[in-house]
Amino acid sequence: LTAAAYEEYHFVFYFDLRPYTHDEALFNLLKTVFVCVVLCIASLLFSSDANTLVLQPVEHMIHKVEQIRDNPLSAMKIADEEFNREEMKRVKKLRDGAGHWLLNIFRNYFKPDSHDLMETVILEKTIIKLGSLLALGFGEAGTEIVRHNMKGSSSAFVDAMIEGKKVECILGNARIQDFSIATEVLQAKVMTFVNQVAEIVHGIVDQFHGAVNKNKGDAFLVIWRVANSSEGSRFADMSVMAFTRIVAAVSKSTMLAQYRLHPGLQQRLRERCRVNLSFGLHCGWAIEGAVGSEFKIDASYLSPNVSISASVEQAARSYEVCLMVSEAVKQLCSIDMALKLRLIDKVRIRGSKQPLELYCMDLDYLCLPVDDDSEPMPVWNTQQRYHSRRLLEQEKLRKLEDTRPFAQIFEADPEIQIMRELYGGEFRHVFSMGYQNYVEGEWRVARTFLTRTQHMLRAKDGPSGALLKYMDSFQFEAPSWWQGVHDLEGTNDL
């Protein structure tokens, strides 16, 4: 084959690669899409874990801190809600665990609960506990201190010494009688004794929308904050009702009744060997704020009215009554509730510019039987405390929503009916005549009536005896300066 022939005759092969190129491009596109999908899924899984393990717990913590900052007293409610969620989760886990063992293995593999032990969860629970401790430690008087310091986020400095705030309130004093003797006899067990009394006092006061401020061993300072006159009347009725209910609860308590059989207390107190409390109520202004220094503060109330309420409680012991009410609280009470109080004297109290009338609530608490303890006591654990707080919160809300007059609720209480059954209309009428003659200076006539009322009941009437003792110091002749008023110091402890 010559070169010319070769140039004239030759083979050429053409291959169409377009389908292969098309397929290759399609596969590359699918690979790119697959890589993008894998990256998206991986990023979603990572963000889901980040949200579940970090962001959501941090948001929950911030939300709880804001709740505590806005209302420090809500920390206890937050703790109860958290405990309720834990209980529901625990019950659900027990219910799910009752299934087939293969199903449990599958569930535990895909839904592990190890995140419950993570640091964010521990930190969230710690915030709730710290908030609850703040609410318990500072109380209602310290809410402004906590709120003020938690709002300032620019610095970690704690400014506890903030300016006080003037509030109108009803001030109550409750004191354990013969406390020094109980301390000497019970020694270390006196803490248990005080806490048992405090459980009754705090629980009933909170149930009637009050707030316990100070615990001074044998004494408790109780506050009902008053915003307006209509609210003040209802809270005044609540304060009288609360202290009356405490008198009944202390007398009926099975735990406190055991101290009546204590040999040491029986030897020292003899016939008075029982747990008794005296109460005083007064109304007025007070400065709410922090008292102390940078080393230690107490959230409390300062005012002459605080001292007056303590003096009113001291007068309750002098007149041998369990509940003494000042004229300021009596005027704030509803008409029907005020009629249940007995006017027993008018005195000048240190700190008060004007003389105050003293009223007592007549209660024969000795006639109340001790509660039957035949039923076994439930085991007092966290779950029982939660259910108890829920019941108390429901009862507290029910009392606030109850539109009935408190005097009607007072009369319907069976224990109060028993305690007031002894003080009939004749006794009150005779005492009223004796008191009127006492005020007018007719002390010899007053002696006749008050001597009668002193022995008219099963036990001696304390107010009648106190007035007779005061008049006896003047040989039952009213002095020339007598205007129906005398200093409270003139009636020392009987």
Side-chain angles (χ1 to χ4, degrees):
L1 184 65
T2 64
Y6 174 77
E7 291 292 336
E8 186 177 357
Y9 302 101
H10 63 277
F11 293 97
V12 178
F13 297 93
Y14 292 93
F15 297 94
D16 188 3
L17 299 179
R18 289 178 298 173
Y20 301 101
T21 306
H22 178 271
D23 292 342
E24 183 180 4
L26 180 60
F27 287 133
N28 288 333
L29 183 62
L30 291 176
K31 182 171 66 175
T32 304
V33 171
F34 175 76
V35 171
C36 292
V37 170
V38 169
L39 291 176
C40 289
I41 293 175
S43 64
L44 288 175
L45 291 175
F46 177 79
S47 63
S48 176
D49 288 341
N51 289 331
T52 303
L53 302 178
V54 180
L55 296 180
Q56 290 180 359
V58 170
E59 289 176 356
H60 291 162
M61 284 186 280
I62 294 174
H63 177 65
K64 287 179 172 59
V65 169
E66 290 176 347
Q67 281 184 288
I68 296 173
R69 180 190 63 191
D70 295 336
N71 182 14
L73 296 180
S74 66
M76 295 295 295
K77 186 176 181 181
I78 296 174
D80 288 341
E81 292 174 353
E82 185 67 23
F83 177 77
N84 187 33
R85 283 192 290 269
E86 292 173 359
E87 286 295 297
M88 292 177 64
K89 187 184 298 184
R90 184 181 64 83
V91 172
K92 184 176 183 299
K93 185 176 180 180
L94 291 175
R95 186 172 60 248
D96 294 342
H100 195 272
W101 62 275
L102 288 176
L103 183 62
N104 294 334
I105 294 176
F106 179 81
R107 186 185 294 114
N108 293 332
Y109 180 80
F110 286 98
K111 293 183 179 180
D113 55 357
S114 59
H115 62 274
D116 287 346
L117 300 177
M118 294 197 61
E119 288 79 359
T120 53
V121 178
I122 296 174
L123 184 58
E124 182 178 355
K125 296 182 186 300
T126 302
I127 291 174
I128 296 173
K129 290 179 181 179
L130 290 175
S132 301
L133 290 173
L134 283 175
L136 286 174
F138 282 96
E140 188 169 341
T143 54
E144 195 62 33
I145 301 173
V146 178
R147 188 182 295 114
H148 171 77
N149 282 276
M150 293 188 70
K151 279 185 178 179
S153 57
S154 59
S155 173
F157 180 74
V158 176
D159 181 19
M161 307 306 295
I162 65 173
E163 185 178 355
K165 182 175 65 174
K166 185 177 181 180
V167 295
E168 293 291 332
C169 55
I170 298 171
L171 301 140
N173 261 276
R175 187 178 298 274
I176 304 172
Q177 298 184 19
D178 303 310
F179 183 72
S180 58
I181 296 176
T183 304
E184 293 175 8
V185 174
L186 297 177
Q187 296 292 318
K189 294 183 180 179
V190 73
M191 298 297 294
T192 303
F193 167 68
V194 172
N195 290 336
Q196 288 171 345
V197 176
E199 185 178 359
I200 296 175
V201 174
H202 291 195
I204 296 179
V205 166
D206 181 74
Q207 189 178 349
F208 285 90
H209 296 269
V212 178
N213 178 246
K214 286 183 184 176
N215 298 320
K216 298 186 294 184
D218 64 331
F220 307 94
L221 177 62
V222 182
I223 302 295
W224 280 267
R225 295 179 63 172
V226 178
N228 51 63
S229 58
S230 60
E231 190 179 73
S233 177
R234 189 160 183 83
F235 280 151
D237 291 351
M238 280 187 175
S239 64
V240 176
M241 180 77 174
F243 279 178
T244 305
R245 290 290 306 137
I246 293 173
V247 172
V250 169
S251 296
K252 292 175 64 67
S253 172
T254 305
M255 291 187 301
L256 298 182
Q258 297 175 359
Y259 293 100
R260 304 179 192 177
L261 306 177
H262 193 285
L265 294 175
Q266 285 181 339
Q267 183 180 6
R268 298 289 296 275
L269 298 174
R270 299 187 184 278
E271 67 276 1
R272 295 186 294 111
C273 186
R274 59 181 298 130
V275 180
N276 291 324
L277 274 72
S278 54
F279 303 89
L281 279 171
H282 182 61
C283 179
W285 62 269
I287 303 300
E288 178 186 81
V291 180
S293 66
E294 297 294 336
F295 301 97
K296 176 69 173 68
I297 64 168
D298 289 318
S300 186
Y301 296 85
L302 298 180
S303 169
N305 294 305
V306 177
S307 301
I308 293 173
S309 67
S311 299
V312 172
E313 181 276 322
Q314 183 181 0
R317 287 176 283 156
S318 300
Y319 290 84
E320 295 184 354
V321 296
C322 55
L323 174 56
M324 187 75 77
V325 179
S326 72
E327 179 182 359
V329 177
K330 184 261 181 183
Q331 291 177 349
L332 202 58
C333 288
S334 62
I335 297 176
D336 292 335
M337 184 64 83
L339 291 175
K340 302 184 185 305
L341 301 170
R342 174 166 55 124
L343 175 61
I344 61 173
D345 208 349
K346 188 172 184 179
V347 297
R348 285 184 289 267
I349 299 178
R350 183 178 301 173
S352 177
K353 296 180 180 179
Q354 300 295 330
L356 290 175
E357 292 179 342
L358 296 180
Y359 295 80
C360 74
M361 177 64 73
D362 293 319
L363 299 169
D364 180 23
Y365 56 87
L366 297 175
C367 65
L368 288 176
V370 179
D371 286 331
D372 184 16
D373 60 348
S374 59
E375 296 183 1
M377 292 290 293
V379 179
W380 196 245
N381 51 26
T382 307
Q383 191 173 9
Q384 287 291 337
R385 289 181 183 275
Y386 167 72
H387 290 303
S388 298
R389 281 198 293 267
R390 281 193 61 188
L391 292 175
L392 289 174
E393 193 66 29
Q394 293 172 1
E395 184 68 17
K396 182 178 178 180
L397 184 62
R398 187 185 64 81
K399 281 182 170 53
L400 192 63
E401 295 176 347
D402 197 341
T403 57
R404 293 181 300 167
F406 249 90
Q408 184 178 345
I409 301 174
F410 185 90
E411 294 171 353
D413 192 293
E415 294 175 355
I416 296 178
Q417 289 178 359
I418 295 173
M419 290 191 294
R420 290 183 55 80
E421 185 179 1
L422 181 64
Y423 300 90
E426 181 185 0
F427 168 80
R428 294 174 66 92
H429 179 67
V430 175
F431 181 86
S432 177
M433 291 190 294
Y435 178 75
Q436 289 299 324
N437 282 278
Y438 161 76
V439 172
E440 297 297 332
E442 300 292 337
W443 284 8
R444 294 190 181 276
V445 180
R447 177 175 60 177
T448 304
F449 289 108
L450 294 177
T451 302
R452 181 182 171 189
T453 56
Q454 187 181 17
H455 302 283
M456 187 180 292
L457 308 175
R458 286 194 295 264
K460 287 185 178 181
D461 180 51
S464 300
L467 297 182
L468 287 170
K469 184 174 182 180
Y470 181 73
M471 291 187 292
D472 185 45
S473 64
F474 295 92
Q475 287 77 44
F476 293 96
E477 289 292 339
S480 58
W481 48 263
W482 177 253
Q483 294 181 348
V485 181
H486 65 90
D487 294 334
L488 181 62
E489 290 78 10
T491 53
N492 296 323
D493 291 346
L494 298 176

